[in-house]
Amino acid sequence: MPGVRWGSAANPFSPAYWAARCAWQSETGPKFQMRDGCLVEELGFCLLGGYGIRYEMNSLAFDRLKSQGVFDLKSSWPEPSIAELLLQPFVSQDRTIRYRFPNQRAQRIARMRASLIRTDFLSLSPETLRNTLQSLDGVGPKTAAWVIRNLLGSDNVAILDIHVVRVCQLIGLFPAGTRLPRDYQLLERLFLSFAQKIGARPSLLDEAMWSEARTVLPRRLLVDTAFASKDA
C-alpha cells in the first residue's frame, strides 16, 4: 500500500507490529467491545457510548439499564423513565461519577425501542440492515458496523472509532483531511484492504488497535515514523 511503511514488529504501532499482534491474538479471538447480546442490547450499548463517554462509563450505564429491563421490548419504558435511570449517579472505583448525556441518550434509546417494535430488522439482508440501522437517531456508520460485526460475526466491516483512526493516520494508511463520519466508507475500504495485506482478520485488528491506543496514545505520540522502506 503506497505510503505505508512495513517497519519492524519491535516498533510499536508499525504495520509489522500489528501483523504480529494479530497473529498472537488469534488464539483468543476478537473481543472488541463485544456484548454477546441481541439486537436491542447491541444498539442500546452503542447508543450509550460515543464521543465523550469512556468505555467504562458506557458499560456501567448499559448494565444498569439492562438490569432494570429497559432492553426488554415487551416492557414499557417511556423516555423520562430511562432518563431518570441515567441521571442517578454511578459508583466506579470507590468514587461517584455521573453520566454525561442522560436526556439525549434516553431519547435515542426510547426511539430505538419503538423502531425495533415496528420493524423486523433481523429479516433484512446485511447491506439493507446496515442502511436501516443508520436511519435510527444516533446511529452512524461506526455503530451500524459494530452491530453487523457482533450480530453476524462479519469481517466485512470495520469498527473505526477515534482510537483506530488515530493509529491508521500515524502509519500513513488514512489520507490527511479525511473525516468521520463523512469518509467512513473510504476509510473502511482502506482498513479492510490493509488487514488483508498484513494477513489479519479485521475483527482482530480493529480490536487490537482500539485496546492499545486508548491507553497508550493519550500519553505519548508513540510512533517512530522512520519505518523501513518496504511498503506493506
Side-chain angles (χ1 to χ4, degrees), residues 5-230:
R5 306 291 186 173
W6 179 248
S8 165
N11 189 341
F13 293 80
S14 69
Y17 172 83
W18 293 118
R21 174 75 162 76
C22 290
W24 163 76
Q25 187 177 341
S26 63
E27 297 181 4
T28 57
K31 299 175 292 184
F32 182 79
Q33 303 181 352
M34 299 288 282
R35 302 302 299 186
D36 296 323
C38 57
L39 178 58
V40 63
E41 291 181 3
E42 294 284 353
L43 282 170
F45 188 81
C46 292
L47 290 175
L48 288 165
Y51 181 79
I53 299 179
R54 289 185 60 82
Y55 177 73
E56 292 76 13
M57 180 75 259
N58 194 164
S59 296
L60 287 172
F62 172 83
D63 290 341
R64 175 180 289 175
L65 266 57
K66 181 179 179 179
S67 68
Q68 295 298 312
V70 172
F71 303 119
D72 179 2
L73 295 181
K74 295 179 182 179
S75 63
S76 176
W77 277 95
E79 180 184 324
S81 299
I82 300 173
E84 185 178 349
L85 289 176
L86 294 175
L87 282 165
Q88 297 172 18
F90 295 83
V91 177
S92 176
Q93 298 180 345
D94 298 324
R95 66 189 184 95
T96 300
I97 56 177
R98 292 187 176 275
Y99 187 78
R100 288 189 64 182
F101 310 111
N103 295 316
Q104 181 198 64
R105 297 306 202 265
Q107 182 184 71
R108 290 179 176 178
I109 290 173
R111 291 178 176 177
M112 177 269 291
R113 281 173 45 90
S115 295
L116 293 187
I117 290 172
R118 292 193 304 266
T119 305
D120 181 8
F121 279 55
L122 296 181
S123 67
L124 305 175
S125 67
E127 182 178 357
T128 303
L129 174 59
R130 188 173 190 174
N131 292 334
T132 304
L133 288 171
Q134 291 185 70
S135 70
L136 300 178
D137 184 22
V139 177
K142 185 193 81 171
T143 297
W146 185 353
V147 173
I148 294 293
R149 163 79 57 74
N150 288 1
L151 285 180
L152 305 181
S154 175
D155 267 318
N156 294 321
V157 297
I159 305 174
L160 304 180
D161 87 328
I162 185 60
H163 303 296
V164 177
V165 170
R166 289 170 70 187
V167 171
C168 291
Q169 289 173 333
L170 284 168
I171 64 177
L173 177 63
F174 288 172
T178 51
R179 294 176 53 194
L180 294 178
R182 182 192 67 190
D183 301 314
Y184 199 96
Q185 289 185 338
L186 167 64
L187 302 185
E188 184 177 57
R189 287 196 298 270
L190 289 171
F191 184 91
L192 295 177
S193 178
F194 176 72
Q196 187 273 329
K197 289 179 182 294
I198 68 171
R201 288 178 56 192
S203 54
L204 290 171
L205 183 59
D206 57 24
E207 188 278 333
M209 288 182 172
W210 172 82
S211 64
E212 294 197 22
R214 69 190 291 263
T215 56
V216 176
L217 275 172
R219 298 195 187 101
R220 52 186 284 229
L221 281 177
L222 344 141
V223 179
D224 175 6
T225 55
F227 295 145
S229 61
K230 181 180 177 182

